Amino acid sequence: MVGGRYRPLTGPEVERIHTLVLDLLADLGLSQITPSLEARAVAAGCEVDGAGRLRFPRALVEDVIARTRRKFTLHGIDPAHDLEIGGQRVHAGTGGAAPTIMDFASGKYRESTVADLYDIARLVDRLDNIHWYHRSVVARDTKTILDLDINTTYACLSGTTKSIAVSYTDSASVRAVMPMLDAVAGGEGKFRERPFCTAVCCHVVPPMRFATESCDALEAAVEAGMPILLVAAGQAGATAPAALAGAVAQACAEVLAGLILCNIIDPNCRGIFATWPFVSDLRTGAMSGGSGEQALLSAACAQMAAFYDLPNSVPAGMTDSKLPDMQSGGEKGYTISLAAHAGASMIHESAGMHGSLMGTSFESYALDNDLLGAILRTVKGVEVNEDTVNFEVIRDVVLGEGHYLGHPQTYTRMKTDYLYPQIADRRSISAWEEAGARDAREIARDQVSAILADHYPSHIPEAVDRQLRDAFNIILPRDRMRAGNGIW
Amino acid sequence: MVGGRYRPLTGPEVERIHTLVLDLLADLGLSQITPSLEARAVAAGCEVDGAGRLRFPRALVEDVIARTRRKFTLHGIDPAHDLEIGGQRVHAGTGGAAPTIMDFASGKYRESTVADLYDIARLVDRLDNIHWYHRSVVARDTKTILDLDINTTYACLSGTTKSIAVSYTDSASVRAVMPMLDAVAGGEGKFRERPFCTAVCCHVVPPMRFATESCDALEAAVEAGMPILLVAAGQAGATAPAALAGAVAQACAEVLAGLILCNIIDPNCRGIFATWPFVSDLRTGAMSGGSGEQALLSAACAQMAAFYDLPNSVPAGMTDSKLPDMQSGGEKGYTISLAAHAGASMIHESAGMHGSLMGTSFESYALDNDLLGAILRTVKGVEVNEDTVNFEVIRDVVLGEGHYLGHPQTYTRMKTDYLYPQIADRRSISAWEEAGARDAREIARDQVSAILADHYPSHIPEAVDRQLRDAFNIILPRDRMRAGNGIW
């Protein structure tokens, strides 16, 4: 499904923003580059100014944009879940780092755990319109960064065969998980052949400053052959300009800085242009992920990425609501649909998130999967051809039966043109009342329970799992990973 | 706010659909025209074929499209609510003919009444993003069509100073209400100067057949100077082709047939091109107003209307859900945003509706008003100019304070670029929990209660109201129209 039919910016507006992007990279640069990357960057033609800021000459920026990979396969653990990223093909999946989750039993928010990560992975594994599982909650029951990263990687790997991603904030974590990724891939060096784990890398602390440890992680991840999600997450009005166009320009500059570094490390890198400028509610300074302004920021960034023709990501679906309620649906509906129609390659945070990314809920993965299906149907668009725009079909019906119910075209189109949702209730008011007058959240709870009680993926052989448990401090108990564990 | 940045169809696809529209009008025509309109149409150059179908020669169709009004003022009862319709300026409001309403006290669906119509009017009067009040429920407590139309008109007129619309299904009703409209306008002949009541006219029974009584009403309404909403509401797969592009073409042909008739009656008519093809769930034949297919149909129709450059209307916001839940929000979110960005002049049914137009709920008018605000904010778009795309702003912050919180641009943009919702909750999870962990529907109930207990518009002078009550069978008691009536 190819987007790009919604263009929030005109061509000259895109050019104007691009000019500022080049100016920012060439004439302002970014501070706090690591020594290792500084050496590589200077060798490639960057300059360091008197204040120690790394500047990127315009020609270098244009060169890297021209020669970086325009598309690549984002591998699933199972090749059936491989995704072709690039060229305005639209995909949607999870993302984020919520510290809390709405407990499925109590309905109250609590700290999220490794078991939650694993359960969400299993859920996502069965929800067709969520195309990958990028870790969406923080496992608060780990004690060190290394344990966090190891257990996050393990929980994601074990719970799904879709493509996964983990945010690695230092290079030690990247090096630590490589044997695990190789083991799951089938042996040493095998991960690099089909890298199914993306490194999420917030390589900048906006405005226009590198994040030192994340830059080390970036270097390690690119060298390990991981796809890398280059995230610049400035907040308009706080760490990015309050003017939306300015926030877009700053984000583009910050992400390009990272992409150039990745290309210097490995010209064949799989970099994802992840402009994630967020919106502040300027009354309080708090983030507002569900606002109309956020929808515009994400859509405009997707359009800039299309202008650069880069595999890209924007965030959408980050409702401010704390519940899967009408506010949640509305905010997810317009932010995701505008990002999708603007042609974003990857829409992150598009399932499960609440409270401006501070929380998540099991029900919402199921609900949002349903919503994503409908939105992706709209991206598929209206088919116009001899069969769909056909005088004879209409004439035959009008002069014949008087209705299209029995027409052969209706039967054919029923299968090709129409999507049937899993949760959305289309019954009459009376039929719905007779069936108990339940709301969408309740239906979603049924789907979640059914999947989580039953679906325990077994793609990692027991021998490999034992090997991982011997080599790593895995805190998810093995008997938590089997049906009938008494939890679900 | 001007839409049109989302184009579901390519230019050649629009042309192809247009060609079929001309073919349908010229080579198939519509059956069951009234004798009066047939005479006028034939005098204007139409032909009646051997089967009695009224056919519209291509040149006549193109002529009428070229010379009909491209824009006009849709008057509010209060000029402060006047709307300029045409040129892809986007507006949103109510519409529909729901036979049931979710009782505010019991939460259960019941038959809707004249008092509901009046209460919804009062609510809409205070909700800024709902630009008009076109009657959305059927007053089931009236006994005749004439009483229905009189009491509907009265309830709408009394409850709001925004532009209203009523569906008149026969000419007697149109003639009957004219003295009422004149009285509210300030005296005989005054309504025509600022016609604030639109006639909703389903002049066709798809596929390609005129609705006889509605055609009489059309004739009367145009002669009375009413704006006229020319609705073709075929159901794809039942009364319109299952192929979406075909359904769009048929709807365009059916609406153009009505528009041509209006122009023949009065070349200065205020016709609104209301292509409302609906979607069937082809498994059951039931309408699905919230589907992705519906979003595409409405957006494609808005684009066709933009191609014709006609003041137009499409339906969006018609959720299949029976409750203001996540399904409702999601379906309203994507259907309305795609219709708006496709540049629809008027988005009908965009507030309050449930169950594929079969129900309505008070809470949803408030919730949908909030959603419409955010979506209209996205239509306003990203401002690109010297101030918003500015190197100095970013440089000064980056080399200075390090954040934009205190920058003068942030203060300015806070007021111009950012919308602050009334219902959407943006608080932190903990602040929201401390405040009672309420969902959007509960917040909306507060807003509804506050407005309905307090807001009793008094723009119709008591003397005029007495005169109307003397002349018409008004069933809404006068003491129902004052604060403290014990109902709210």
Side-chain angles (χ1 to χ4, degrees):
Chain A
M1 284 164 238
V2 178
R5 291 175 178 241
Y6 166 51
R7 297 193 185 93
L9 304 167
T10 63
E13 288 172 343
V14 168
E15 294 280 358
R16 188 161 189 167
I17 290 172
H18 172 55
T19 300
L20 176 55
V21 171
L22 292 181
D23 292 349
L24 289 172
L25 287 168
D27 301 337
L28 181 58
L30 287 86
S31 62
Q32 306 202 5
I33 186 67
T34 62
S36 161
L37 286 174
E38 178 178 313
R40 291 187 192 239
V42 169
C46 291
E47 295 150 18
V48 179
D49 70 13
R53 304 183 68 83
L54 188 67
R55 297 190 183 191
F56 300 80
R58 289 172 178 79
L60 175 66
V61 176
E62 301 272 26
D63 270 6
V64 171
I65 292 171
R67 71 166 186 251
T68 192
R69 279 175 91 149
R70 315 224 87 74
K71 56 186 73 173
F72 58 82
T73 302
L74 189 76
H75 292 281
I77 297 171
D78 180 339
H81 292 305
D82 284 359
L83 304 172
E84 295 304 311
I85 304 294
Q88 293 194 283
R89 278 186 294 270
V90 178
H91 303 90
T94 64
T100 65
I101 190 164
M102 193 189 297
D103 188 81
F104 191 71
S106 72
K108 295 204 189 316
Y109 279 96
R110 60 165 171 76
E111 292 193 355
S112 44
T113 65
V114 169
D116 293 324
L117 266 174
Y118 172 66
D119 288 338
I120 299 167
R122 296 190 296 128
L123 192 52
V124 165
D125 201 49
R126 277 288 170 89
L127 298 171
D128 288 346
N129 303 310
I130 303 178
H131 298 137
W132 62 79
Y133 180 50
H134 290 188
R135 80 92 164 77
S136 52
V137 299
V138 178
R140 304 280 294 276
D141 51 349
T142 55
K143 296 203 171 62
T144 65
I145 293 288
L146 189 63
D147 269 357
L148 170 68
D149 292 344
I150 285 169
N151 280 282
T152 300
T153 308
Y154 177 82
C156 296
L157 284 173
S158 306
T160 184
T161 59
K162 295 186 179 179
S163 199
I164 67 164
V166 178
S167 179
Y168 299 110
T169 49
D170 69 27
S171 54
S173 290
V174 174
R175 278 187 285 270
V177 300
M178 283 311 299
M180 185 187 293
L181 296 172
D182 268 343
V184 172
E188 201 182 324
K190 289 288 186 189
F191 172 77
R192 190 180 284 273
E193 294 172 17
R194 301 189 66 258
F196 46 69
C197 177
T198 296
V200 179
C201 185
C202 294
H203 65 288
V204 286
V205 181
M208 302 297 284
R209 179 157 47 114
F210 285 111
T212 312
E213 290 188 359
S214 290
C215 281
D216 285 336
L218 172 150
E219 206 167 355
V222 172
E223 285 174 340
M226 283 184 178
I228 187 155
L229 192 75
L230 294 154
V231 177
Q235 216 173 310
T239 56
L244 302 182
V248 170
Q250 184 185 301
C252 289
E254 290 167 340
V255 175
L256 282 174
L259 189 64
I260 293 165
L261 295 178
C262 291
N263 269 270
I264 290 171
I265 299 165
D266 176 4
N268 206 30
C269 68
R270 292 173 165 89
I272 303 162
F273 182 84
T275 37
W276 290 16
F278 293 136
V279 161
S280 311
D281 185 309
L282 296 179
R283 298 168 301 184
T284 61
M287 178 182 159
S288 169
S291 58
E293 295 83 1
Q294 180 67 59
L296 284 169
L297 276 179
S298 291
C301 283
Q303 191 180 353
M304 290 305 298
F307 169 71
Y308 295 131
D309 193 13
L310 294 174
N312 68 87
S313 156
V314 298
M318 310 174 292
T319 181
D320 297 320
S321 175
K322 272 60 72 179
L323 293 167
D325 62 356
M326 191 278 178
Q327 178 188 347
S328 173
E331 293 179 348
K332 289 174 189 242
Y334 64 78
T335 59
I336 297 171
S337 58
L338 294 185
H341 283 278
S345 316
M346 302 179 76
I347 306 175
H348 276 90
E349 336 272 14
S350 68
M353 304 315 282
H354 283 285
S356 292
L357 303 183
M358 295 306 283
T360 187
S361 94
F362 288 102
E363 294 94 321
S364 284
Y365 292 93
L367 287 162
D368 299 348
N369 176 66
D370 221 44
L371 177 63
L372 285 169
I375 290 174
L376 291 169
R377 170 65 190 91
T378 67
V379 174
K380 193 175 151 206
V382 177
E383 199 184 330
V384 177
N385 57 38
E386 273 183 33
D387 180 53
T388 62
V389 184
N390 188 300
F391 182 80
E392 283 72 29
V393 169
I394 299 176
R395 185 198 53 201
D396 291 353
V397 165
V398 167
L399 301 182
E401 298 258 316
H403 62 76
Y404 295 82
L405 291 171
H407 195 280
Q409 193 195 59
T410 302
Y411 288 108
T412 313
R413 293 283 149 194
M414 178 173 174
K415 284 165 198 153
T416 56
D417 282 22
Y418 289 77
L419 177 85
Y420 304 99
Q422 295 185 310
I423 293 177
D425 190 305
R426 293 180 171 179
R427 289 175 293 187
S428 69
I429 292 175
S430 57
W432 166 80
E433 283 172 339
E434 277 158 31
R438 306 202 309 160
D439 71 6
R441 184 180 174 185
E442 292 172 78
I443 313 297
R445 288 182 65 82
D446 289 350
Q447 190 182 14
V448 170
S449 296
I451 293 173
L452 291 185
D454 179 63
H455 182 56
Y456 288 86
S458 57
H459 55 287
I460 302 181
E462 268 200 56
V464 174
D465 189 68
R466 268 197 304 274
Q467 174 195 334
L468 296 180
R469 286 173 181 272
D470 288 344
F472 295 98
N473 177 29
I474 302 297
I475 66 176
L476 190 64
R478 182 68 205 163
D479 61 10
R480 179 70 175 69
M481 300 168 69
R482 290 188 190 97
N485 57 31
I487 307 286
W488 288 97
Chain B
M1 282 163 243
V2 178
R5 291 177 177 241
Y6 165 52
R7 297 194 187 93
L9 304 167
T10 63
E13 287 172 345
V14 169
E15 294 281 357
R16 188 162 189 167
I17 291 172
H18 173 54
T19 300
L20 176 56
V21 170
L22 292 181
D23 291 349
L24 289 172
L25 287 167
D27 301 335
L28 181 59
L30 287 86
S31 63
Q32 305 203 5
I33 187 65
T34 63
S36 162
L37 286 174
E38 177 177 317
R40 291 188 193 237
V42 169
C46 290
E47 296 150 17
V48 178
D49 70 14
R53 306 184 67 84
L54 188 66
R55 296 190 183 192
F56 301 79
R58 288 171 178 80
L60 175 66
V61 177
E62 299 273 26
D63 271 6
V64 171
I65 291 171
R67 69 167 189 253
T68 191
R69 279 175 92 149
R70 316 224 88 72
K71 55 186 72 173
F72 59 80
T73 301
L74 188 77
H75 292 281
I77 296 172
D78 180 337
H81 292 303
D82 283 0
L83 304 171
E84 294 305 311
I85 303 295
Q88 292 194 284
R89 277 185 295 269
V90 178
H91 304 91
T94 64
T100 66
I101 189 164
M102 194 189 298
D103 188 81
F104 191 71
S106 72
K108 295 203 189 315
Y109 279 95
R110 60 165 171 76
E111 291 193 355
S112 44
T113 66
V114 168
D116 294 325
L117 266 174
Y118 172 66
D119 288 338
I120 299 168
R122 297 190 295 126
L123 192 53
V124 164
D125 201 49
R126 277 288 170 89
L127 299 172
D128 289 346
N129 303 310
I130 302 177
H131 298 138
W132 62 78
Y133 180 50
H134 289 190
R135 80 90 163 79
S136 50
V137 299
V138 178
R140 304 280 293 276
D141 50 349
T142 56
K143 295 200 172 62
T144 65
I145 293 288
L146 189 63
D147 269 358
L148 170 68
D149 292 343
I150 285 169
N151 281 281
T152 299
T153 307
Y154 176 82
C156 294
L157 283 173
S158 305
T160 183
T161 59
K162 295 185 179 179
S163 199
I164 67 165
V166 178
S167 179
Y168 299 111
T169 47
D170 71 26
S171 55
S173 291
V174 174
R175 279 186 286 273
V177 300
M178 282 312 299
M180 185 188 292
L181 296 171
D182 268 343
V184 172
E188 200 180 328
K190 290 286 185 190
F191 171 78
R192 189 180 284 275
E193 294 172 16
R194 303 189 65 258
F196 45 69
C197 177
T198 295
V200 179
C201 185
C202 294
H203 64 288
V204 286
V205 180
M208 303 296 285
R209 178 158 48 114
F210 284 110
T212 312
E213 291 189 358
S214 290
C215 282
D216 285 337
L218 173 150
E219 203 167 357
V222 172
E223 285 174 342
M226 284 185 178
I228 187 153
L229 192 75
L230 294 154
V231 176
Q235 217 174 307
T239 55
L244 302 182
V248 170
Q250 183 185 300
C252 288
E254 289 166 340
V255 175
L256 282 174
L259 189 65
I260 293 164
L261 296 178
C262 291
N263 268 270
I264 289 171
I265 299 165
D266 177 4
N268 206 29
C269 68
R270 293 174 166 87
I272 303 163
F273 182 84
T275 38
W276 292 12
F278 294 134
V279 162
S280 311
D281 185 310
L282 296 180
R283 297 169 302 184
T284 61
M287 177 179 160
S288 170
S291 58
E293 294 84 3
Q294 180 67 60
L296 284 170
L297 276 179
S298 291
C301 283
Q303 190 180 352
M304 290 306 298
F307 169 71
Y308 295 130
D309 193 12
L310 294 174
N312 68 89
S313 156
V314 298
M318 310 175 291
T319 182
D320 298 318
S321 175
K322 273 58 74 178
L323 292 167
D325 62 356
M326 190 279 178
Q327 178 188 348
S328 172
E331 292 178 349
K332 287 173 190 243
Y334 66 76
T335 59
I336 297 172
S337 57
L338 294 184
H341 283 279
S345 317
M346 302 179 76
I347 305 174
H348 276 89
E349 338 269 18
S350 68
M353 304 315 281
H354 283 285
S356 293
L357 302 181
M358 295 306 284
T360 188
S361 95
F362 287 103
E363 294 93 320
S364 284
Y365 292 93
L367 287 162
D368 299 348
N369 176 65
D370 222 44
L371 176 64
L372 286 169
I375 291 173
L376 291 169
R377 170 65 189 91
T378 68
V379 175
K380 193 175 151 204
V382 177
E383 200 184 328
V384 177
N385 58 37
E386 273 183 34
D387 180 52
T388 62
V389 184
N390 189 299
F391 181 81
E392 283 72 30
V393 168
I394 298 177
R395 186 197 55 202
D396 291 353
V397 165
V398 168
L399 302 182
E401 298 256 318
H403 62 77
Y404 295 82
L405 292 170
H407 195 280
Q409 192 196 58
T410 302
Y411 288 109
T412 314
R413 294 283 150 191
M414 178 174 175
K415 285 165 198 151
T416 55
D417 281 21
Y418 288 79
L419 177 85
Y420 304 99
Q422 295 183 311
I423 292 177
D425 190 306
R426 293 181 171 178
R427 289 175 293 187
S428 68
I429 292 176
S430 57
W432 166 80
E433 283 171 339
E434 277 158 32
R438 306 203 308 160
D439 72 6
R441 183 180 176 185
E442 291 173 78
I443 313 296
R445 288 182 65 83
D446 289 353
Q447 189 182 12
V448 170
S449 295
I451 292 173
L452 291 185
D454 180 63
H455 181 56
Y456 288 85
S458 56
H459 55 285
I460 301 180
E462 267 199 55
V464 174
D465 189 69
R466 267 198 303 275
Q467 175 194 331
L468 296 180
R469 286 173 180 275
D470 288 346
F472 295 97
N473 176 30
I474 302 297
I475 65 176
L476 189 65
R478 182 69 205 162
D479 60 12
R480 180 66 176 71
M481 300 169 69
R482 290 187 189 98
N485 58 30
I487 308 285
W488 290 96

